[in-house]
């Protein structure tokens, strides 16, 4: 069934569990143990007897009751046994990520990279399942993004920061493609003048999910990390942009190299300087690249011009 706008929602699904009921189904130690046993099994489907053996429950009738509560919504029964539905996998992954049951206390991580504003060493801190990078001297934010507690397990500080760098890239890549990294709903992108001073920028990119309202904010340049011409430009200068920390790239965390050419429609130029050369990338309001141009930095005019 569809709504009047032609879009579906969980309220329209006659066969779906209501959210409150879905959480009540898995809010049981035995049922979570069943999902964990199914996850740990080297091969699936898993037979009833093997699954009960792994959960270590002697009472067959009681085990069957809990298993049936999971069936159809979180697991599926086949002729060969039981296997996951996608919802069941997501529950286990959420548990493994530590989102439900971990509240780690992490000491601040001192970074070797420096602040794009004042040049002081940066620091990363972790709180409320968010990892953020900030300058302890001037307070300039360099991004704060969701990072599940499970991402901290069995990693050194350097490995945590490498994982965080890749995660931020992934989050913004999905968002720019219109896919919410939280719920897979439709993600909209808008360019805005940052009157709220959320990131210390004059111009900000906002990604907002129409379904769950999840939001991501960034400088315009962050959308260019996987753009082919930008990657090639860095490679030609001996830099692997795929592993370079985004917070070590001024054009990703500030708008020092961002020029608004027009606002109606939006037309923005990001200038990326390396050695004696610049790459000038022009984007529209959807962050689509309109053009790229390499210029001699020693003869190029000042790229930062105010918008009239």
């Amino acid at each position: 069934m569809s709504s009047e706008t032609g879009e579906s929602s969980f309220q329209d699904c006659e066969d779906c569990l209501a959210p409150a009921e879905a959480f009540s189904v898995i809010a049981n130690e035995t049922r979570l143990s069943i999902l964990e046993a199914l996850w740990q099994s080297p091969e699936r489907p898993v037979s009833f007897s093997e699954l009960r053996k792994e959960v270590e429950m002697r009472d067959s009738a009681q085990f069957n009751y809990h298993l049936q509560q999971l069936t159809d919504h979180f697991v599926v029964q086949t002729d060969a046994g039981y296997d996951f539905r996608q919802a069941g996998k997501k529950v286990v992954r959420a548990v493994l990520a530590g989102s439900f049951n971990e509240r780690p206390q992490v000491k601040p991580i001192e970074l070797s990279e420096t602040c794009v504003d004042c040049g002081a060493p940066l620091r990363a801190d972790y709180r409320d399942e968010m990892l953020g990078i900030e300058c302890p001297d001037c307070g300039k934010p360099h991004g704060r993004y969701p990072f599940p507690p499970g991402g901290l397990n069995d990693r050194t500080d350097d490995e945590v920061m490498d994982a965080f760098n890749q995660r931020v890239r992934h989050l913004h890549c999905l968002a720019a493609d219109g896919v919410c990294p939280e719920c897979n709903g439709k993600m909209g992108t808008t360019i805005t003048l940052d009157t709220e001073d959320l990131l210390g920028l004059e111009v900000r990119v906002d990604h907002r999910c129409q379904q769950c309202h999840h939001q991501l904010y960034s400088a315009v340049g962050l959308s260019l990390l996987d753009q082919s011409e930008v990657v090639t430009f860095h490679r030609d200068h001996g830099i692997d942009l795929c592993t370079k920390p985004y917070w070590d790239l001024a054009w990703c965390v500030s708008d020092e190299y961002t020029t608004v050419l027009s606002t109606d429609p939006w037309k923005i130029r990001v200038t990326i300087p390396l050695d004696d050369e610049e790459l000038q990338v022009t984007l529209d309001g959807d962050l689509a690249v309109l053009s790229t141009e390499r210029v001699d930095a020693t003869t190029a005019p000042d790229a930062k011009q105010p918008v009239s």
Side-chain angles (χ1 to χ4, degrees):
M1 184 181 299
S2 300
S3 64
E4 293 180 0
T5 61
E7 299 177 349
S8 62
S9 65
F10 67 81
Q11 291 95 337
D12 298 327
C13 179
E14 296 179 357
D15 296 328
C16 296
L17 282 178
E21 186 178 354
F23 279 109
S24 69
V25 168
I26 59 174
N28 178 281
E29 184 176 353
T30 298
R31 294 168 199 171
L32 287 175
S33 295
I34 292 173
L35 293 176
E36 182 181 3
L38 197 58
W39 182 271
Q40 296 294 340
S41 177
E43 294 183 5
R44 292 191 293 267
V46 183
S47 68
F48 178 92
S49 59
E50 185 62 28
L51 203 53
R52 182 164 67 92
K53 178 182 177 182
E54 290 300 318
V55 176
E56 298 181 348
M57 178 172 284
R58 293 185 178 182
D59 189 328
S60 178
Q62 185 180 10
F63 178 79
N64 182 62
Y65 168 77
H66 288 294
L67 181 57
Q68 292 308 309
Q69 299 304 302
L70 295 170
T71 304
D72 292 337
H73 296 289
F74 298 98
V75 302
V76 60
Q77 184 178 6
T78 69
D79 292 339
Y82 293 86
D83 203 345
F84 276 114
R85 289 178 62 88
Q86 286 301 317
K89 290 181 179 179
K90 289 181 179 179
V91 169
V92 177
R93 289 190 179 113
V95 172
L96 293 175
S99 297
F100 291 157
N101 58 339
E102 295 184 28
R103 293 293 183 270
Q105 299 294 319
V106 180
K107 293 181 180 180
I109 301 174
E110 304 296 333
L111 305 178
S112 59
E113 295 81 24
T114 57
C115 175
V116 298
D117 277 4
C118 73
L122 293 171
R123 178 184 297 162
D125 70 279
Y126 188 80
R127 61 178 185 272
D128 299 328
E129 298 187 23
M130 303 276 283
L131 186 60
I133 300 173
E134 189 173 88
C135 176
D137 282 14
C138 72
K140 162 69 178 175
H142 289 59
R144 179 172 295 276
Y145 298 97
F147 194 75
L152 303 171
N153 295 336
D154 300 320
R155 282 192 170 118
T156 64
D157 288 350
D158 288 343
E159 290 171 337
V160 167
M161 298 313 301
D162 286 342
F164 178 66
N165 181 42
Q166 295 304 322
R167 178 174 172 79
V168 171
R169 291 163 176 262
H170 176 67
L171 292 176
H172 281 277
C173 184
L174 281 174
D177 287 339
V179 180
C180 175
E182 291 293 320
C183 75
N184 290 329
K186 291 183 179 180
M187 202 85 171
T189 298
T190 57
I191 308 294
T192 182
L193 298 178
D194 193 357
T195 56
E196 302 173 73
D197 196 29
L198 294 176
L199 300 175
L201 303 170
E202 296 178 15
V203 183
R204 191 183 73 222
V205 175
D206 291 359
H207 300 292
R208 188 175 190 274
C209 177
Q210 299 174 19
Q211 181 166 274
C212 73
H213 308 305
H214 177 64
Q215 298 183 80
L216 291 172
Y217 308 108
S218 74
V220 176
L222 193 62
S223 66
L224 298 174
L225 282 171
D226 62 351
Q227 205 278 333
S228 59
E229 293 294 332
V230 177
V231 172
T232 300
F233 179 64
H234 282 77
R235 183 172 63 242
D236 291 347
H237 286 266
I239 299 172
D240 181 5
L241 191 59
C242 296
T243 58
K244 183 81 168 173
Y246 81 84
W247 55 88
D248 197 27
L249 300 164
W251 48 273
C252 281
V253 293
S254 87
D255 47 18
E256 178 184 355
Y257 300 101
T258 300
T259 307
V260 177
L261 303 175
S262 68
T263 59
D264 188 18
W266 281 103
K267 191 174 181 182
I268 301 170
R269 182 174 64 225
V270 177
T271 301
I272 303 173
L274 283 176
D275 302 325
D276 58 354
E277 191 176 17
E278 292 179 352
L279 178 67
Q280 297 182 355
V281 185
T282 304
L283 307 94
D284 64 15
D286 295 322
L287 301 182
V289 174
L290 301 175
S291 66
T292 61
E293 182 183 7
R294 293 194 185 197
V295 299
D296 186 340
T298 61
T299 60
D302 183 8
K304 187 76 170 177
Q305 298 291 336
V307 179
S308 58

